[in-house]
Amino acid sequence: MAQITLKNIAHSYMEDPSKEADYALKEVDHVWRDGEAYALLGPSGCGKTTLLNIVSGLLRPSHGRVLFDGQDVTDMPTAERNIAQVFQFPVVYDTMTVRENLAFPLKNRGVEAATITERVQRVASMIGMERELDRKARGLTADAKQKISLGRGMVRDDVNALLFDEPLTVIDPHMKWELRTQLKHLHGQFGHTMIYVTHDQTEALTFADHVVVMHDGRVVQIGTPEELFERPAHTFVGYFIGSPGMNLLPAEVQGDRAIIDGHEVPLGAGYGDMSGKVEIGIRPEFVRLSDDVGLPVTIDRVEDVGRHRLVRTTMQGRPINIIASEGGPVPSENARITFDPSRINIYADDWRVEGRAV
Ligand code: ADP
Ligand code: MG
């Protein structure tokens, strides 16, 4: 296992990048701590695979260095980095049996036969393929083949890190949960440094203790699920995490008050006088419906979501979502809303501003 350091890493797929937009990965400076499980979360195209391939050595970064336990491995090929990587789509040897596929990474390293048998058995049970061990991989479904790929990634316990690039994409939904649980279990047992790439927030938040959120080639926040929920560092995190995401409203901020469309909203902290693009962010969970005080909204739709109701409203054409408890009354057309001041986040040019206690 290793601590992996990315020092001023940036990558462009162009030969002669000149401007920031030419970089698929803008500058990233990050330490993946030894033995931690991380999720790398972001929408398609934000640079997750690029970053992962730089860690594994499939890609040499245009700028910066990669260190494993302090040793510079930037120019070291993948094979020498001692890493297991599982890709989005299966990589298996069709002519080999499931057992031979699973044993392959161990055989390659000269592991003795008894250990191979024992490890293959363990992994086969984790991926639920004990009964298919002697079948040829050819002819198996994509789903089964991907399970073999996962198993191959998990079979060695002497790797520096385990990297998973959206590994459950082709797995059926029921099995996804099961396999994610197995991966978590594996981490608890062996404590590998793990990086799990996904575009699915539920997957990220349930798998990892630390979630690295990417947006447009940048790491915008690294935090626990609670931190991402309560204090999104960037408006993108607010909007991307949560269902639905954080409400964002343009506002004027003066000290500990915000003015939204001429209505005053008390804030839980002081911000001085702010200028430029200022927004207030409030999650739907912390918006309350009120009869007589607060911002006037038009109620567009009420949806039942499990034990809550999702109230879709608009204020001057701008959407504001509210999560209301099942029991409370919801007015039919017009209503007023208030925000829990301690749950409000303030953003200047999309980045969160820390308030001062008042
Ligand atoms: P993600 O894994 O988050 O979906 P990628 O790292 O694959 O994102 O891609 C980031 C950006 O780099 C995208 O705009 C993508 O089109 C571009 N890109 C990825 N791979 C290549 C490549 N081999 N050549 C050129 N552009 C690429
Ligand atoms: Mg990708």
Side-chain angles (χ1 to χ4, degrees):
M1 285 165 279
Q3 166 174 296
I4 299 167
T5 307
L6 302 179
K7 265 176 111 169
N8 310 110
I9 292 288
H11 189 72
S12 174
Y13 288 101
M14 294 178 183
E15 240 167 68
D16 201 9
S18 58
K19 52 188 188 303
E20 205 173 40
D22 296 345
Y23 283 82
L25 199 63
K26 277 82 174 176
E27 196 166 291
V28 175
D29 234 336
H30 180 55
V31 176
W32 310 90
R33 286 197 300 268
D34 191 1
E36 300 252 4
Y38 293 91
L40 186 53
L41 173 68
S44 174
C46 72
K48 304 181 296 296
T49 296
T50 303
L51 186 56
L52 205 69
N53 289 347
I54 287 172
V55 171
S56 67
L58 289 174
L59 198 61
R60 195 190 182 290
S62 318
H63 301 287
R65 317 298 304 171
V66 182
L67 313 179
F68 282 14
D69 285 335
Q71 190 205 344
D72 193 326
V73 299
T74 318
D75 295 302
M76 194 184 268
T78 304
E80 287 169 34
R81 294 194 188 190
N82 197 19
I83 267 188
Q85 186 167 5
V86 179
F87 303 92
Q88 198 167 358
F89 298 102
V91 181
V92 296
Y93 300 103
D94 264 347
T95 54
M96 291 186 189
T97 62
V98 174
R99 184 191 307 280
E100 287 162 342
N101 266 289
L102 293 176
F104 192 77
L106 300 172
K107 270 215 170 113
N108 237 356
R109 304 225 145 210
V111 174
E112 58 178 76
T115 312
I116 294 183
T117 308
E118 182 243 314
R119 296 256 188 80
V120 166
Q121 202 59 45
R122 185 189 78 201
V123 160
S125 104
M126 291 178 79
I127 58 174
M129 291 194 71
E130 292 149 296
R131 308 232 307 260
E132 282 114 321
L133 276 173
D134 293 312
R135 277 191 61 174
K136 287 259 194 287
R138 179 185 297 129
L140 292 175
T141 60
D143 180 278
K145 287 184 182 179
Q146 182 65 0
K147 285 194 272 179
I148 300 172
S149 303
L150 264 172
R152 278 221 321 243
M154 302 189 292
V155 79
R156 288 175 53 204
D157 54 17
D158 60 344
V159 288
N160 277 326
L162 278 169
L163 311 181
F164 300 98
D165 195 350
E166 313 217 27
L168 305 183
T169 307
V170 297
I171 301 282
D172 88 72
H174 164 73
M175 194 65 194
K176 271 186 188 174
W177 183 85
E178 168 69 20
L179 287 172
R180 210 161 59 226
T181 308
Q182 294 287 6
L183 288 178
K184 257 191 114 149
H185 177 70
L186 185 80
H187 181 254
Q189 204 175 1
F190 294 100
H192 291 113
T193 310
M194 280 193 185
I195 309 177
Y196 185 99
V197 169
T198 177
H199 63 267
D200 177 336
Q201 58 163 316
T202 311
E203 225 172 273
L205 300 175
T206 53
F207 173 75
D209 308 323
H210 300 276
V211 180
V212 177
V213 185
M214 288 188 72
H215 167 56
D216 193 20
R218 274 195 188 80
V219 171
V220 284
Q221 186 167 10
I222 302 161
T224 61
E226 292 73 30
E227 285 164 347
L228 301 179
F229 183 77
E230 288 176 9
R231 291 180 297 283
H234 190 276
T235 53
F236 174 78
V237 179
Y239 147 87
F240 193 66
I241 306 252
S243 55
M246 180 179 257
N247 297 298
L248 284 160
L249 300 160
E252 271 173 60
V253 169
Q254 296 154 359
D256 60 355
R257 299 172 312 139
I259 312 292
I260 300 172
D261 284 335
H263 297 271
E264 190 173 306
V265 174
L267 305 174
Y271 295 88
D273 282 346
M274 298 177 65
S275 56
K277 179 186 166 195
V278 178
E279 286 164 291
I280 131 168
I282 180 87
R283 290 209 174 269
E285 287 82 352
F286 308 123
V287 181
R288 300 272 166 275
L289 283 161
S290 151
D291 290 332
D292 44 5
V293 291
L295 308 174
V297 293
T298 308
I299 298 191
D300 299 325
R301 209 148 34 100
V302 180
E303 300 164 22
D304 270 315
V305 283
R307 282 180 290 122
H308 306 285
R309 274 183 297 178
L310 173 56
V311 185
R312 306 241 185 220
T313 76
T314 41
M315 178 182 181
Q316 308 268 353
R318 274 190 300 270
I320 302 180
N321 295 316
I322 306 166
I323 291 182
S325 62
E326 213 173 19
V330 176
S332 58
E333 213 171 300
N334 296 306
R336 287 181 177 263
I337 54 168
T338 59
F339 304 152
D340 177 347
S342 67
R343 300 297 197 156
I344 292 174
N345 287 288
I346 299 291
Y347 296 90
D349 293 328
D350 291 313
W351 291 96
R352 183 174 179 274
V353 178
E354 185 69 47
R356 283 177 301 275
V358 286

